[in-house]
């Protein structure tokens, strides 16, 4: 099979981790008889440096022409980087929001898994973490507060800022359907998270999710208020299978869930539209403080590449091979610095990529 992949290396550690993901994909191609065709796209700070804007029309066209996009990470140090002297709509993050919207990537899948081998990294008490957890956060990605109208004004010397939170039922229904579909392939439980005791948008969310649930009688649906969910994630993370929620709640809860695993360098993500097309990126940021040092953990990006094989190309066997390689290498005791523990062998970004590529055969 020919896999047309657009690569956004991005900023900070982005280029290093994408290089290792490509190394692993190339090995998959070799072993399973596929052809990988890569096109590089500039986005974020890297695009600002060349074009003055974080995302160009050409970049969007190149992404659309590919079957899937593999991304590293974008953004820099918000205090020291000149990118953050620019107006907000020209900063690196605007590129990411822009490409999500342009490609209609409304469904964001963020798995948070506690790996047995990394259980010690979990910051929760043993009696809680020993139950293990494996959840999928499904975040609506192109609506809500992050895409609503906003403005800042000053009236009679008083500054005022407005952001608006809007959802229509179609936006809610399509992410809900994705959520239930994913749940059918997992433990068949959906926890829909909202703030229906206060917000109209949440009350509509709840109604539409219940309508969609009618078509999935095998899936157990529960509703949870977002503030309670934030507590439950640290109190009893094992209770969750699929968490289905709107854009801002998902942004916040997915960071919390990743922190609870204690190993954010391991967490992948996929952003999908209605077709097989998707953008795949690690859940972590661009870590400008360690960029170029060769110590970044490439595993989250490599696991994102595995999600790409699974969701955009239906190559389940190949995706399994990559995920098993990660488990085996952890079992053999290899760790990058962020997940290092006593008795293990510390390796750099490149070595980790080499080990994982070697493990696929
Ligand atoms: C994320 C990030 C982005 C978001 C930022 C960089 C715009 O926090 O992917 O979670 O809020 O969606
Ligand atoms: Mg975030």
């Amino acid at each position: 099979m020919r896999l047309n992949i657009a690569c956004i290396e991005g900023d900070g550690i982005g280029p290093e981790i994408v290089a290792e993901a490509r190394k692993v994909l190339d090995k998959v191609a070799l072993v399973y008889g596929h052809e990988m065709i890569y096109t590089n796209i500039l986005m974020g700070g890297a695009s600002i440096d060349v074009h003055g804007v974080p995302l160009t029309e050409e970049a969007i066209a190149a992404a659309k022409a590919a079957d899937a996009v593999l991304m590293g990470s974008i953004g820099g140090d918000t205090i020291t980087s000149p990118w953050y002297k620019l107006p907000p709509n020209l900063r690196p993050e605007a590129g990411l929001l822009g490409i999500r919207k342009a490609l209609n990537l409304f469904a964001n899948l963020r798995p948070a898994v506690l790996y047995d081998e990394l259980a010690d990294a979990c910051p929760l008490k043993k009696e809680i973490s020993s139950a293990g957890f494996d959840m999928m956060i499904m975040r609506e990605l192109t609506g809500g507060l992050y895409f609503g109208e906003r403005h800042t004004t000053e009236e009679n010397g008083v500054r005022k800022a407005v952001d608006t939170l809007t959802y229509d039922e179609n936006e809610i229904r399509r992410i809900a359907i994705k959520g239930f579909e994913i749940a059918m392939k997992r433990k068949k439980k959906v926890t829909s998270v909202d703030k229906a005791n206060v917000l109209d948008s949440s009350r509509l969310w709840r109604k539409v999710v219940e309508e969609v649930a009618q078509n999935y009688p095998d899936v157990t649906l529960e509703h949870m208020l977002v503030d309670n969910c934030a507590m439950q994630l640290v109190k009893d993370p094992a209770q969750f299978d699929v968490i289905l929620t709107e854009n801002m709640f998902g942004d916040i809860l997915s960071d919390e869930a990743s922190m609870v695993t204690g190993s954010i360098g391991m967490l992948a993500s996929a952003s999908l539209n209605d077709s097989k097309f998707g953008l795949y990126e690690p859940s972590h940021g661009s870590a400008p403080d360690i960029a170029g040092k060769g110590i970044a953990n490439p595993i989250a990006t490599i696991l994102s590449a595995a999600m790409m094989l699974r969701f955009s190309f239906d190559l389940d066997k190949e995706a399994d091979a990559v995920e098993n390689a990660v488990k085996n290498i952890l079992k053999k005791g290899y760790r990058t610095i962020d997940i290092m523990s006593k008795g293990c062998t510390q390796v750099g970004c490149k070595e980790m990529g080499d080990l994982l590529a070697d493990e696929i055969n």
Side-chain angles (χ1 to χ4, degrees):
M1 180 173 186
R2 277 168 79 109
L3 289 75
N4 255 307
I5 302 165
C7 291
I8 299 173
E9 293 184 336
D11 311 315
I13 59 171
E16 303 162 51
I17 53 183
V18 169
E20 299 317 306
R22 279 176 58 160
K23 191 185 281 174
V24 170
L25 284 173
D26 287 340
K27 186 65 185 291
V28 167
L30 190 72
V31 171
Y32 293 88
H34 301 297
E35 189 188 353
M36 305 285 170
I37 300 157
Y38 303 107
T39 320
N40 277 318
I41 297 182
L42 290 180
M43 198 178 91
S47 173
I48 296 173
D49 289 345
V50 176
H51 300 294
V53 292
L55 180 68
T56 60
E57 287 303 325
E58 293 75 53
I60 293 171
K64 280 186 178 160
D67 301 319
V69 182
L70 179 66
M71 186 183 137
S73 48
I74 52 113
D77 186 305
T78 52
I79 310 288
T80 58
S81 164
W83 300 329
Y84 296 91
K85 305 261 182 306
L86 296 166
N89 63 332
L90 289 179
R91 292 179 195 166
E93 288 72 15
L96 183 56
L97 293 174
I99 201 167
R100 286 173 180 167
K101 196 71 174 177
L103 302 176
N104 198 23
L105 304 172
F106 64 85
N108 184 212
L109 283 62
R110 296 188 168 180
V113 183
L114 187 62
Y115 285 84
D116 287 346
E117 292 79 13
L118 302 180
D120 284 343
C122 175
L124 302 177
K125 282 189 188 144
K126 272 265 159 2
E127 64 240 48
I128 297 174
S129 66
S130 60
F133 56 86
D134 176 353
M135 69 187 96
M136 180 69 88
I137 302 201
M138 303 272 316
R139 167 188 177 195
E140 199 291 325
L141 202 58
T142 53
L145 209 46
Y146 294 12
F147 289 92
E149 243 179 73
R150 66 177 110 259
H151 58 260
T152 306
T153 52
E154 190 169 327
E155 278 166 46
N156 307 322
V158 180
R159 288 168 297 167
K160 182 173 157 187
V162 177
D163 294 284
T164 48
L165 166 48
T166 309
Y167 272 108
D168 71 36
E169 60 177 307
N170 298 326
E171 291 174 301
I172 301 169
R173 192 172 298 110
R174 62 184 185 175
I175 181 75
I177 291 171
K178 284 255 190 213
F180 280 90
E181 290 291 332
I182 299 275
M184 286 295 287
K185 296 187 185 159
R186 297 174 48 100
K187 285 173 270 168
K188 299 192 172 61
K189 179 176 174 192
V190 170
T191 305
S192 175
V193 174
D194 61 37
K195 188 69 185 172
N197 54 347
V198 178
L199 302 176
D200 262 23
S201 56
S202 282
R203 286 187 274 268
L204 180 62
W205 181 279
R206 216 176 251 223
K207 269 197 201 110
V208 175
V209 169
E210 279 185 352
E211 287 160 19
V212 171
Q214 303 290 312
N215 298 326
Y216 298 88
D218 295 341
V219 178
T220 308
L221 168 67
E222 66 176 16
H223 300 284
M224 194 178 277
L225 296 173
V226 61
D227 42 359
N228 183 28
C229 183
M231 290 199 301
Q232 296 298 328
L233 275 171
V234 290
K235 191 171 163 240
D236 177 20
Q239 71 182 286
F240 295 110
D241 179 22
V242 172
I243 291 180
L244 172 65
T245 192
E246 63 93 55
N247 203 343
M248 183 171 69
F249 298 160
D251 187 18
I252 297 168
L253 294 176
S254 62
D255 265 29
E256 187 188 356
S258 67
M259 194 59 233
V260 166
T261 68
S263 43
I264 183 162
M266 302 286 300
L267 301 179
S269 88
S271 304
L272 309 174
N273 67 14
D274 255 332
S275 69
K276 286 270 159 201
F277 187 89
L279 181 149
Y280 300 84
E281 56 169 322
S283 282
H284 59 70
S286 60
D289 51 321
I290 60 161
K293 295 193 175 153
I295 58 171
N297 184 351
I299 295 180
T301 317
I302 290 167
L303 289 172
S304 301
M307 288 183 93
M308 176 179 78
L309 294 172
R310 196 182 300 286
F311 291 112
S312 282
F313 299 104
D314 287 320
L315 296 174
D316 286 324
K317 203 166 33 132
E318 288 81 343
D320 288 345
V322 175
E323 288 168 4
N324 287 332
V326 169
K327 283 185 198 135
N328 291 341
I329 286 302
L330 290 178
K331 246 183 229 126
K332 290 182 185 172
Y334 293 105
R335 303 280 189 274
T336 43
I337 189 166
D338 55 308
I339 50 173
M340 184 59 189
S341 61
K342 254 221 324 267
C344 292
T345 310
Q346 193 173 317
V347 296
C349 183
K350 271 207 173 72
E351 289 164 282
M352 184 54 93
D354 288 337
L355 286 164
L356 290 168
D358 284 348
E359 195 66 30
I360 296 165
N361 40 50

